[in-house]
Amino acid sequence: MNYAKDYAQFVTITCLGWKPVLATKTAKEIVVNSLRFLNKLNRIDVFAFCIMDNHMHLIWQLLNENKREDVQRDFLKYTSQRILKHLNATNPDFVAQLRVSANDRRYQVWKRNSLSIPLYSEYVLNQKLRYIHENPVAAGLCSYPEEYHYSSARFYRNNDATFDFLSHIAG
């Protein structure tokens, strides 16, 4: 059984050193637009997400013959390049904090080896969905999950279609 194909996955992607790389609206929109693009290419279905200032959570499922490592690599590479370009233009001092001594790059946005868990039961799927939506509340950013803009909570609670790339977990 290929868990990446057969089940949706809970993914946590963390910014290197938990730095607030995603603190700006522009950085968050880069992530949203990348998810939208991958969905339009039929590489993924996106069921849930929450973009915080220093990490993000997703529930996605790979489509067709796409492999997790390929989709995730492309997503992280594209978003990091766009975010670095944005930060270089708006906050070059912050970019210096992302400098690394690696042979293949000068700067790094994402921590390596993102967490990816196959959601093999409805119980675990619903548990992760609640966790994602409660994340901004737990961080003190809002009182109710649907108040946080960069999350799928309003999609589930209010049928809000702002993020047109989302698919409902129930089908």
Side-chain angles (χ1 to χ4, degrees):
M1 177 176 286
N2 183 348
Y3 288 111
K5 289 286 183 211
D6 297 333
Y7 298 106
Q9 298 172 16
F10 170 76
V11 180
T12 297
I13 300 168
T14 306
C15 298
L16 185 68
W18 289 89
K19 290 181 175 63
V21 174
L22 300 169
T24 66
K25 177 182 177 183
T26 300
K28 288 178 176 76
E29 287 294 327
I30 289 167
V31 171
V32 164
N33 289 329
S34 184
L35 291 171
R36 181 177 285 117
F37 181 75
L38 289 170
N39 177 255
K40 282 185 181 177
L41 289 180
N42 291 318
R43 293 185 78 185
I44 58 171
D45 274 337
V46 181
F47 298 109
F49 77 97
C50 182
I51 306 168
M52 304 293 281
D53 287 355
N54 57 10
H55 70 287
M56 70 178 99
H57 300 291
L58 306 164
I59 295 177
W60 69 13
Q61 185 162 14
L62 302 171
L63 300 175
N64 305 314
E65 297 304 313
N66 290 291
K67 296 178 183 170
R68 182 191 61 81
E69 55 273 10
D70 295 339
V71 172
Q72 196 163 308
R73 177 201 61 228
D74 294 348
F75 173 69
L76 296 178
K77 182 177 180 182
Y78 176 78
T79 55
S80 66
Q81 289 172 346
R82 295 295 311 261
I83 289 167
L84 282 170
K85 183 177 179 181
H86 158 65
L87 291 173
N88 269 317
T90 60
N91 193 353
D93 292 337
F94 183 75
V95 175
Q97 297 178 39
L98 302 174
R99 191 166 184 82
V100 294
S101 12
N103 292 332
D104 60 341
R105 69 182 55 85
R106 291 182 14 203
Y107 300 95
Q108 187 170 334
V109 171
W110 308 115
K111 181 181 171 190
R112 297 226 181 218
N113 302 318
S114 302
L115 174 70
S116 183
I117 300 170
L119 302 174
Y120 52 85
S121 76
E122 188 175 340
Y123 175 80
V124 176
L125 180 69
N126 287 321
Q127 179 189 49
K128 296 304 182 191
L129 185 65
R130 279 190 306 277
Y131 176 80
I132 287 172
H133 291 160
E134 290 291 333
N135 207 243
V137 176
L141 301 175
C142 56
S143 297
Y144 301 99
E146 61 272 18
E147 293 174 343
Y148 190 71
H149 181 71
Y150 288 99
S151 164
S152 54
R154 287 179 303 149
F155 172 75
Y156 282 93
R157 297 193 183 196
N158 302 336
N159 295 317
D160 185 320
T162 299
F163 299 110
D164 57 351
F165 56 88
L166 286 168
S167 295
H168 200 285
I169 205 79

